[in-house]
Amino acid sequence: MLILGIESSCDETGVALVQAQARGVPRLVGATLHSQVAMHRDYGGVVPELASRDHIRRVLPLTEAVLAQAAVPVQAIDAVAYTRGPGLAGALLVGAGVAAAMAMALGVPALPVHHLEGHLLSPFLSADPPEFPFVALLVSGGHTQLMRVDGVGRYQLLGETIDDAAGEAFDKSAKVLGLGYPGGPALSRLAQSGDPQAFALPRPLLHSGDLDFSFAGLKTAVLTQARKLGPALEARKADLAAATEAAIVDVLVHKSLAALRATGLQRLVVAGGVGANQRLRQRLGEAAARHGWRLHYPEVALCTDNGAMIALAAAMRWQAGLAPLAPADGAFDVAPRWPLEAVTVVGTDH
Ligand code: KG4
Ligand code: ZN
């Protein structure tokens, strides 16, 4: 089964091909990506209308490129997977529309995929794929969730952010520090030359006893600190960046450990853009070595949004014998707000 995957939920157009047999981990046979980051930079964030228009420009050339890369004719495609949600409605419609049209022209199914299920399963394409069950820490620009994952489609929400996502906390704090967009990677780079203990920033909900997160207050604390520093901020920027990163990472690590303790599981999968953060990786790595549990990440290129994880999620749902999440017969829709629980087809039995 050769599955083409199309991702267009936000500011990356990703197209990839995944080959799946009835059993075994599916194999990535080609992937292309266009990031719109440079286009949105002038505006300090993603402009939805510009994002949609750019997806339209990119999606077909990227599809042609991925077919050429894999050296397969378009007729070899057995199904076309696309991100149905969550994401920006107009951006999602581009991928969904193209997928539905291609599927209809080829006489193959169009398979809607949940964006977060893609992130969650993306480490299966790595050189060291996980085994079920595991705890997943999903940390992206729009989401911060801890899930118990017992199998494909078997997800249980353990905790999530009650306000901003971790990536949003990085991005908003970076904006305060004048680091441009997207701020996460820039803040993290600057933090390397700063002292994480230079400022005492809050660790919201650290000892709340549950597995929820809250990051909105952190951005305010960074803003307050920056104002207090005034003209001195310039010289202390790296310190404030390091303290911000340390606060976010502390909370993510603490709650991930609590989730492993609460479930008794021995594996942690980290997915989503913030999973690329080096301090987070280092701190989790130390904890894993100390406690003897396993840690899995997607390949670096698959941490942020991409088409491979969408094709993979469709492939793994097919392997698991799960019905497509789809309106059939050429109809398509998108789901800008779509909880992951909606694609949980079997309850967890623990
Ligand atoms: O998963 P993703 O590509 O897009 C979605 O939000 O779905 O995640 C993007 C987020 C952004 O907030 C970005 O700032 C953050 O991931 N990010 C990072 C790093 N790389 C990306 N945050 C901290 N450190 C990084 N190295
Ligand atoms: Zn994402």
Side-chain angles (χ1 to χ4, degrees), residues 7 9-10 12 115-116 119 140-143 272-273 303-306 309:
E7 155 63 31
S9 67
C10 189
E12 254 108 33
H115 183 81
L116 294 184
H119 274 305
S140 70
H143 300 271
C303 268
T304 49
D305 293 349
N306 63 85
M309 68 183 195

Side-chain angles (χ1 to χ4, degrees), residues 8-88:
S8 70
S9 67
C10 189
D11 58 350
E12 254 108 33
T13 323
V15 185
L17 275 168
V18 159
Q19 178 75 54
Q21 309 299 331
R23 300 168 145 274
V25 178
R27 196 168 52 86
L28 182 63
V29 292
T32 54
L33 186 78
H34 175 78
S35 171
Q36 304 177 354
V37 162
M39 183 180 80
H40 296 295
R41 190 165 282 140
D42 290 347
Y43 305 91
V46 177
V47 184
E49 178 61 24
L50 294 183
S52 312
R53 291 185 209 175
D54 200 60
H55 286 306
I56 292 172
R57 275 193 291 273
R58 307 289 175 180
V59 66
L60 289 178
L62 287 175
T63 304
E64 281 164 8
V66 84
L67 288 166
Q69 193 186 99
V72 293
V74 69
Q75 293 79 9
I77 294 171
D78 296 304
V80 185
Y82 64 93
T83 306
R84 178 175 179 251
L88 301 169

